[in-house]
Amino acid sequence: RLHTIGRGSLAKCLQKVDTFLHRNIGTNVVAVQEKNGFKSLYAVQAERQEQAEKSVLISCHSRTNEQKFLKYIANYGDIQKYFFYESYGMYAVVEFANQESVASLLEGTAIPSISHESLVPFKSRLLSMRNLDAVDLPNQSSGKKRQAQTSIPINELIQRLSKEESIDQQITSLTEAYQLTEENCRLRFLVCSLLKDIAAAFFPECTIMPFGSSVNGFGKLGCDLDMFLDLDGISGKNATMPKSGLFLEYQMKRANLERIVTQNILSVIGECVDQFGPGCVGVQKILNARCPLVRFVHQPSGFQCDLTANNRVAMKSTELLYLYGELDPRVRHLVFTVRCWARAHSITSSIPGAWISNFSLTVMVLFFLQRRSPPIIPTLDHLRDLAGPEDKCVIEDNDCTFVSDFSKIQLESNTETLEQLLCEFFEFYSSFSFRTLSINIRKGKEQNKPEVAPLHIQNPFETTLNVSKNVNASQLDRFVALCQESSWLIQQNKTAPSRGGTKAKGAITPWGVSTLLLPSQVAGIKSRKRRKFEPASERIKSLLESLKNINKELN
Ligand code: CTP
Ligand code: MG
């Protein structure tokens, strides 16, 4: 456990993480780290986790004198890295060079006394700095920006993209604007680490790791924080059982189903987060879901958090998505653009419902990239065939084995541009036979649908499950209608309008990807059948009309 072994040398510490991950997840961190210039997800996570354990989160006055603040904090040890950010107040994340500094900082803190109120005496690493001299003017002395942790509004993005010279540049610019920043990523690991301090009251050897879009490379600023409480290291699930010797008696408190154990654990941890978790509000225990979870908002970071346990398959699908995203830069660019387009048209939503999820959408993009000629990314079956013995991973009878050594993966030489790929994506799904076929990234080929569901996307590891089981027919129809509309729109608006000329100063005309993010004419339709009654020319006319109106608004 990093928290305790951090007092030893860094090498020893990494070795422990390595052994731990190798035993539990079947991945040898040190061996796969930075092979061929790529870092494995587990190497990234081990590094980030170590940073987080040495970090504290401090709420401070909006006009905090940065120099005085740093001088004060440096009394407890050398500062490795720090940054300020805004989220309903000003906060600082400070990473110390050594773990000991965190302990000495906590020793030096006092629990405030509030009259008529009693406080839970829990010394967490969420602190607040009081009564340090503020400066009179907003502090800009260091020139460091105090970042907001949310993405730019869609209208601003449309304007920004319209200033680019090509569709390829628009797509890269969109990714840059929306992807998680280094600071946001650190903050996500820090929140997991703060949560782990609470769970560690019961399970001192546990870890809490982010999964999903926080770490798979496809996360947008403001996306939720999916967390995984990992207890397998304690129960020694994958270790071989000795025939005789000492066994831990407390573990003999058991239930007959693993799901019930997970529910019990999450119920207790959820209660602790609710009662003792500083900054954790709106705690909901959603224990009857297929994957039981505790949902809450971590106010100081602004993150909507989902804490799960015993969810190692999701960890593997996170690793798979991360790998695909690292293989070719076009993967991430296309996923970001499609996700942003889908959100702009309410194809996806932050509220759970009958809509397509970001995860489903990402798998659809991956599938499309596997169907290119030549394919841009390999099939999951191919990645499994490349796996070595160290990659073997079976979770609850599901084969989750795939190669972790990037250098074994040979890519084909597809030279399609982002513009071509985006146009082709819309074409591909405009005419995909959703009625009869299932999307399958394991085979990289459409399969016959095994069950009746409007949209069938095979779960890559739990192959009997449909990732998009929740999607209803009208949501799928909206998706197809929007693909058709966007396919047409992008063809019509492929070139940037010439600058200057007769246009008013500062006027920006949306073009290319920007036009795809403007409100749609077909977004409201319930079914494809209805569209047949409206002549195409009428639809095109009303589309152009709406483009003109939006232009006016933007200008
Ligand atoms: N997951 C899964 N099967 C599903 C849904 C989710 O395996 N049917 C896993 C995926 O690894 C996914 C993660 O759980 O990435 C988190 O799910 P979710 O938060 O819904 O998706 P994200 O990829 O995190 O996207 P978002 O940015 O919308 O949160
Ligand atoms: Mg998520």
Side-chain angles (χ1 to χ4, degrees):
R1 194 163 70 96
L2 278 173
H3 184 67
T4 48
I5 61 171
R7 292 171 201 280
S9 69
L10 180 65
K12 205 170 139 201
C13 170
L14 272 175
Q15 198 54 51
K16 282 257 184 185
V17 175
D18 192 21
T19 318
F20 171 81
L21 291 175
H22 187 54
R23 199 183 62 226
N24 292 288
I25 306 165
T27 303
N28 191 307
V29 178
V30 178
V32 295
Q33 190 162 4
E34 288 189 62
K35 222 174 208 183
N36 248 11
F38 291 113
K39 248 186 198 178
S40 80
L41 177 61
Y42 293 113
V44 172
Q45 285 190 309
E47 192 182 300
R48 293 271 182 215
Q49 196 187 7
E50 198 207 336
Q51 289 170 349
E53 298 258 332
K54 292 189 294 184
S55 302
V56 292
L57 180 53
I58 306 174
S59 155
C60 35
H61 194 277
S62 62
R63 291 188 301 140
T64 296
N65 183 320
E66 204 170 302
Q67 298 314 320
K68 279 194 179 161
F69 175 87
L70 292 174
K71 202 166 157 217
Y72 184 88
I73 300 292
N75 285 327
Y76 297 100
D78 292 342
I79 295 171
Q80 180 79 24
K81 164 138 185 139
Y82 73 93
F83 61 90
F84 289 88
Y85 73 89
E86 289 211 38
S87 164
Y88 305 108
M90 182 71 73
Y91 289 88
V93 172
V94 179
E95 185 202 332
F96 286 103
N98 300 300
Q99 181 98 46
E100 292 81 8
S101 309
V102 175
S104 81
L105 181 102
L106 287 183
E107 264 167 42
T109 57
I111 295 178
S113 61
I114 301 172
S115 53
H116 314 303
E117 273 188 273
S118 295
L119 299 167
V120 177
F122 171 53
K123 276 199 169 184
S124 90
R125 284 178 286 144
L126 172 60
L127 308 152
S128 63
M129 176 67 88
R130 298 184 180 183
N131 301 333
L132 203 68
D133 290 350
V135 287
D136 291 335
L137 292 166
N139 186 354
Q140 287 163 351
S141 56
S142 71
K144 275 188 192 289
K145 270 207 305 211
R146 293 171 172 198
Q147 295 189 350
Q149 302 297 314
T150 48
S151 55
I152 59 167
I154 190 88
N155 272 354
E156 228 174 275
L157 180 74
I158 290 172
Q159 299 240 13
R160 188 185 291 186
L161 300 190
S162 300
K163 290 179 195 154
E164 297 292 350
E165 303 285 327
S166 69
I167 291 188
D168 278 46
Q169 279 173 16
Q170 288 188 322
I171 294 176
T172 31
S173 171
L174 183 149
T175 310
E176 276 158 24
Y178 271 16
Q179 71 192 351
L180 301 183
T181 57
E182 158 74 19
E183 286 77 13
N184 194 271
C185 193
R186 278 174 175 264
L187 193 53
R188 285 171 189 267
F189 275 86
L190 178 52
V191 172
C192 288
S193 175
L194 296 178
L195 254 285
K196 192 221 67 176
D197 288 350
I198 297 172
F202 289 94
F203 305 108
E205 281 112 338
C206 75
T207 50
I208 293 188
M209 284 291 199
F211 70 99
S213 61
S214 295
V215 282
N216 66 15
F218 302 116
K220 172 185 169 231
L221 279 169
C223 70
D224 69 356
L225 172 56
D226 302 296
M227 292 183 275
F228 166 54
L229 169 67
D230 189 355
L231 301 172
D232 288 356
I234 309 171
S235 58
K237 225 171 208 170
N238 301 330
T240 37
M241 242 348 138
K243 286 209 175 70
S244 59
L246 285 170
F247 291 81
L248 293 167
E249 184 59 28
Y250 77 90
Q251 287 187 0
M252 303 311 278
K253 179 136 191 170
R254 53 176 101 182
N256 53 2
L257 268 181
E258 194 152 4
R259 178 179 166 80
I260 296 176
V261 175
T262 304
Q263 286 171 329
N264 291 345
I265 291 170
L266 282 177
S267 175
V268 172
I269 302 291
E271 201 55 39
C272 284
V273 171
D274 199 11
Q275 301 289 332
F276 312 135
C280 300
V281 297
V283 180
Q284 283 173 276
K285 296 184 205 171
I286 309 171
L287 303 177
N288 288 324
R290 190 183 75 78
C291 179
L293 66 117
V294 175
R295 178 166 286 171
F296 58 94
V297 172
H298 184 258
Q299 233 171 14
S301 61
F303 294 145
Q304 161 84 52
C305 302
D306 279 352
L307 176 65
T308 60
N310 193 20
N311 194 13
R312 289 176 58 221
V313 182
M315 203 70 219
K316 279 314 269 191
S317 61
T318 301
E319 189 192 341
L320 179 70
L321 261 52
Y322 172 85
L323 183 144
Y324 276 130
E326 289 291 294
L327 284 182
D328 187 304
R330 288 173 294 181
V331 179
R332 286 185 71 236
H333 289 313
L334 202 61
V335 170
F336 266 98
T337 309
V338 171
R339 276 189 174 205
C340 178
W341 162 84
R343 189 72 189 87
H345 295 294
S346 306
I347 289 280
T348 52
S349 164
S350 53
I351 312 156
W355 13 91
I356 300 175
S357 70
N358 274 326
F359 180 60
S360 297
L361 208 54
T362 306
V363 178
M364 288 170 92
V365 175
L366 296 178
F367 180 73
F368 160 74
L369 294 172
Q370 290 175 333
R371 298 300 289 141
R372 302 309 300 149
S373 182
I376 292 183
I377 50 171
T379 66
L380 177 51
D381 271 350
H382 182 66
L383 295 178
R384 183 206 50 209
D385 295 343
L386 293 175
E390 71 283 4
D391 298 321
K392 182 129 189 72
C393 176
V394 177
I395 303 169
E396 288 157 18
D397 296 332
N398 298 302
D399 185 6
C400 302
T401 307
F402 62 92
V403 66
S404 60
D405 180 353
F406 291 75
S407 67
K408 288 189 190 164
I409 306 167
Q410 295 284 319
L411 295 176
E412 305 215 33
S413 58
N414 177 309
T415 54
E416 283 172 293
T417 63
L418 287 169
E419 176 183 325
Q420 282 169 319
L421 290 172
L422 187 62
C423 297
E424 292 291 333
F425 173 86
F426 293 130
E427 275 289 310
F428 183 81
Y429 284 114
S430 289
S431 54
F432 190 85
S433 179
F434 288 105
R435 211 171 47 81
T436 55
L437 300 176
S438 160
I439 289 166
N440 186 316
I441 59 163
R442 182 164 275 285
K443 302 258 171 273
K445 219 163 175 274
E446 39 285 87
Q447 306 288 305
N448 287 331
K449 256 192 201 179
E451 61 187 49
V452 193
L455 176 60
H456 195 280
I457 304 173
Q458 190 196 57
N459 187 309
F461 297 117
E462 295 170 290
T463 52
T464 54
L465 299 182
N466 174 10
V467 167
S468 52
K469 198 176 160 201
N470 60 315
V471 177
N472 66 19
S474 81
Q475 288 302 322
L476 178 64
D477 284 347
R478 287 186 65 240
F479 171 78
V480 174
L482 273 160
C483 281
Q484 290 165 350
E485 184 191 77
S486 298
S487 171
W488 177 82
L489 261 180
I490 193 106
Q491 295 300 334
Q492 304 305 306
N493 295 281
K494 265 188 170 174
T495 43
S498 56
R499 300 271 143 78
T502 52
K503 276 195 194 71
K505 206 172 161 213
I508 299 164
T509 310
W511 72 279
V513 177
S514 299
T515 53
L516 301 180
L517 306 178
L518 298 168
S520 151
Q521 288 302 294
V522 298
I525 73 151
K526 287 257 163 16
S527 121
R528 255 174 294 167
K529 282 179 204 134
R530 257 195 226 175
R531 285 185 65 198
K532 290 196 181 131
F533 298 108
E534 192 186 1
S537 56
E538 279 305 309
R539 276 191 289 129
I540 292 166
K541 223 166 80 187
S542 65
L543 259 172
L544 288 173
E545 215 36 61
S546 90
L547 267 178
K548 265 195 234 152
N549 291 339
I550 285 153
N551 267 347
K552 270 187 217 151
E553 273 171 38
L554 286 175
N555 294 341

